[in-house]
Amino acid sequence: MYPGTWAEKTPEKAAVINSVTGEQTTYKELDDRSNQLAQLMWDKGLRPGDHVAIFMENNLRFFEVIWAAMRSGLYLTTINQYLTDEEAGYILDNCGAGVIISSQRMAGVASNLHQFAANCHTWLMVDCVDRVADGYERYEDAIARYPAEKLADEPAGQFMLYSSGTTGRPKGVIRPMSKRKITDDAGAVGGMQKTLWGVTEDSVYLSPAPLYHSAPLSFCTAMQALGGTVVMMPRFDEVGALEAIEKYKVTHSQWVPTMFTRILKMPEEIRTRYDLSSHKVAIHAAAPCPEGIKRQMFDWWGPIIYEYYGGTELNGLTHCRPQEWLDHPGTVGKPVLGVLHVCGDDGQELPVGEPGLIYFELPKMSFSYHKDAGKTKESQHPQHPNWSALGDVGYVDNDGFLYLTDRATFMIISGGVNIYPQEIEDALVMHPKIADVAVIGVPNEEMGEEVKAVVQTAAGVVGDDALAAEILAYAREHIAHYKCPRSVDFMDELPRLPTGKLYKRLVKDRYWGKTNSRIV
């Protein structure tokens, strides 16, 4: 099922609503506009298996682009709205998009992307009031030239999203195109929503997170495939989320743990004034939730909180129901996709309770990294090519429940957003006063982790407050602001092995201590 189904059954029903303005797109409008864009992309030469990219804030038009790609058999790449032009340009070029859709709000960065993507031939910009950025065409004018008719053939498309690796360069997670038609069913995520969380066409789903992320993108799309209504927050705020649940009678929602923390820190008289009785299922993922925070949420919202663990690669998935977590505090659940294996450094499976690298086994490898066979190979078990790992470390208990204890790649998760240290280190080490640098995540009560740079200064340079401020300013010039360190510390010499590899654990242990878990 897809918007075309619901455009016939419930044409005036809201497919998506802006939680702040109340503006909405009906299923009829979503179907018509996505058809028009699909017709445009076909006319521009895109064929099944080709690529389209979107670089946009949370915007109602976002969904037209999603469904135009999904009903055309295209790969859709969403680009993080907070990236710099160099970072966004790399992704745009690497994915090979022939068409990009951006927005007036993103014009400052979007106008600089042409230099990075010579093969992109169609540049469209939505919401242009006065003038269109150089090199772009007004989106609304462009699609208006095409009929709101289905393509002759509508093979189902796929997302190709980017997940950065330890080298600092983002990796495109690509899966083979299925042989589905877009009309066949609601897809894998839609099936999961129906089975695990009881989603129906009467469901109303609150999406408080950026749409470029894998989870909100997939969940919103699946909700619309099932005929429900998405309530999209332009950006998260605590009061706005509770207001939206009450106003739109939200039944389902998805969160990251830092959102729970922020909501809980509101004065009780504010957070308890809203009627949340429609709210039946609250799902969280993206980062482990502190046990104390989750218990407070259970006390407030009751046993409606579900959790899952998985990656953009969708190489496996665990799921945890409310009572399962209460019976096994701290778990991320049991596998619902793939067979779980926990292995030591030698690749051998470890006994219950002993932490190791987490692998999921599927009948065959489900993904690869676009144009990077080496990274794909690294993710596979050395003896079992259909087992793959994302770099997380954990253990299982006697009942088969998984617990996460570390991140082998030292990825930082701050407020549910993945931040990759090597990328930041590569930028900072170019500063003339820095000889060596380690970027780590350190505890932050609200965000889970925050980014810290630990710097070894160049010979003769004194590490002081003035230099720390200079380094922070330098970082903001060269990388997206959400990745920038919040603070800088100095060490006389960073611990490196004779091979040159940074022994980052010794740096991290100064801040985390030698405990069983590195996750707040």
Side-chain angles (χ1 to χ4, degrees):
M1 291 177 282
Y2 73 129
T5 302
W6 306 106
E8 294 177 2
K9 293 181 64 175
T10 54
E12 300 308 313
K13 181 179 180 179
V16 56
I17 303 171
N18 182 313
S19 70
V20 174
T21 66
E23 182 185 2
Q24 66 180 41
T25 300
T26 67
Y27 271 105
K28 179 66 163 62
E29 292 168 334
L30 180 59
D31 188 51
D32 284 349
R33 293 172 187 167
S34 62
N35 271 324
Q36 288 177 296
L37 180 55
Q39 293 281 356
L40 179 152
M41 292 191 293
W42 179 271
D43 186 50
K44 298 295 184 180
L46 269 65
R47 296 295 182 266
D50 288 339
H51 297 251
V52 58
I54 183 168
F55 182 49
M56 195 185 300
E57 75 284 3
N58 281 13
N59 187 306
L60 295 184
R61 295 288 194 182
F62 210 115
F63 295 91
E64 301 170 23
V65 181
I66 294 172
W67 283 109
M70 293 301 100
R71 69 194 307 163
S72 303
L74 301 176
Y75 283 107
L76 173 68
T77 292
T78 57
I79 302 176
N80 183 330
Q81 70 187 78
Y82 299 108
L83 296 183
T84 65
D85 52 7
E86 291 184 14
E87 294 165 325
Y90 171 80
I91 292 174
L92 180 59
D93 182 57
N94 185 258
C95 76
V99 175
I100 182 171
I101 297 93
S102 190
S103 69
Q104 181 67 52
R105 181 173 170 182
M106 306 302 300
V109 174
S111 60
N112 295 327
L113 295 180
H114 292 77
Q115 60 183 309
F116 302 104
N119 293 327
C120 188
H121 52 70
T122 303
W123 303 73
L124 305 176
M125 184 163 282
V126 309
D127 294 342
C128 298
V129 179
D130 300 319
R131 59 182 295 272
V132 184
D134 291 344
Y136 286 81
E137 181 180 4
R138 193 183 305 271
Y139 171 88
E140 294 80 1
D141 294 343
I143 68 169
R145 296 194 293 269
Y146 294 86
E149 298 175 358
K150 300 175 184 178
L151 295 174
D153 189 30
E154 292 189 305
Q158 285 265 26
F159 299 132
M160 192 184 91
L161 308 182
Y162 276 73
S163 175
S164 290
T166 54
T167 62
R169 280 297 195 184
K171 307 187 299 271
V173 178
I174 190 165
R175 287 183 287 274
M177 283 290 180
S178 71
K179 296 181 180 179
R180 293 175 53 241
K181 299 292 185 183
I182 195 63
T183 52
D184 287 349
D185 53 45
V189 178
M192 185 170 67
Q193 287 182 341
K194 289 174 64 176
T195 302
L196 298 180
W197 304 304
V199 171
T200 71
E201 62 187 276
D202 296 321
S203 298
V204 179
Y205 173 68
L206 179 66
S207 182
L211 290 171
Y212 61 78
H213 274 307
S214 175
L217 180 69
S218 299
F219 270 65
C220 287
T221 307
M223 183 65 61
Q224 291 173 338
L226 293 170
T229 295
V230 172
V231 178
M232 175 201 74
M233 295 187 71
R235 58 178 299 170
F236 174 74
D237 76 89
E238 303 90 318
V239 172
L242 300 178
E243 286 178 341
I245 294 173
E246 178 182 80
K247 180 177 181 179
Y248 299 106
K249 300 189 184 308
V250 166
T251 61
H252 294 68
S253 61
Q254 185 171 195
W255 313 79
V256 296
T258 188
M259 294 176 181
F260 288 162
T261 302
R262 289 173 58 177
I263 290 175
L264 287 168
K265 287 186 176 182
M266 289 193 299
E268 186 173 2
E269 63 270 19
I270 294 178
R271 63 182 177 87
T272 58
R273 71 173 54 156
Y274 298 97
D275 180 3
L276 309 182
S277 59
S278 64
H279 197 198
K280 305 302 182 187
V281 175
I283 306 157
H284 79 86
C289 186
E291 185 176 327
I293 294 296
K294 193 161 180 176
R295 288 192 183 279
Q296 290 182 60
M297 291 302 299
F298 271 119
D299 291 342
W300 178 19
W301 284 359
I304 69 167
I305 302 172
Y306 295 72
E307 180 174 2
Y308 69 88
Y309 159 70
T312 300
E313 288 82 350
L314 204 60
N315 65 324
L317 195 78
T318 68
H319 178 250
C320 187
R321 295 175 174 83
Q323 192 57 50
E324 290 175 329
W325 190 90
L326 291 169
D327 292 340
H328 300 80
T331 184
V332 294
K334 286 184 174 182
V336 293
L337 174 66
V339 177
L340 185 65
H341 302 277
V342 177
C343 298
D345 293 340
D346 59 0
Q348 298 302 305
E349 291 198 64
L350 296 170
V352 167
E354 189 168 340
L357 189 62
I358 299 165
Y359 288 90
F360 283 102
E361 174 189 353
L362 291 174
K364 61 180 179 179
M365 187 73 169
S366 63
F367 71 94
S368 61
Y369 293 118
H370 189 52
K371 300 179 181 178
D372 200 333
K375 290 297 180 187
T376 303
K377 184 70 174 176
E378 286 177 14
S379 71
Q380 296 171 293
H381 189 280
Q383 285 85 46
H384 303 282
N386 59 325
W387 298 13
S388 58
L390 305 182
D392 293 313
V393 173
Y395 66 92
V396 293
D397 65 15
N398 288 319
D399 296 319
F401 286 90
L402 176 65
Y403 299 76
L404 303 181
T405 58
D406 211 334
R407 288 180 288 276
T409 59
F410 300 108
M411 179 179 71
I412 300 165
I413 302 180
S414 182
V417 177
N418 294 349
I419 300 174
Y420 299 88
Q422 185 67 51
E423 183 179 6
I424 307 168
E425 291 163 356
D426 288 350
L428 293 182
V429 79
M430 298 302 293
H431 192 289
K433 297 179 183 178
I434 294 177
D436 202 356
V437 59
V439 172
I440 60 173
V442 298
N444 178 288
E445 183 177 0
E446 179 183 352
M447 305 300 285
E449 292 181 294
E450 69 178 55
V451 181
K452 177 181 284 290
V454 182
V455 169
Q456 176 183 328
T457 62
V461 176
V462 176
D464 54 17
D465 290 346
L467 179 57
E470 181 180 332
I471 291 169
L472 294 176
Y474 179 86
R476 292 176 68 86
E477 291 178 8
H478 293 277
I479 54 179
H481 289 184
Y482 77 90
K483 302 177 188 176
C484 290
R486 298 281 192 92
S487 58
V488 177
D489 286 352
F490 298 94
M491 289 183 69
D492 291 339
E493 184 176 1
L494 290 178
R496 285 193 178 272
L497 301 177
T499 60
K501 181 179 179 181
L502 178 65
Y503 202 172
K504 192 174 286 187
R505 172 58 64 217
L506 295 181
V507 180
K508 285 176 67 74
D509 281 347
R510 296 176 57 192
Y511 302 91
W512 292 91
K514 296 182 183 297
T515 63
N516 183 53
S517 175
R518 304 299 187 208
I519 300 172
V520 173

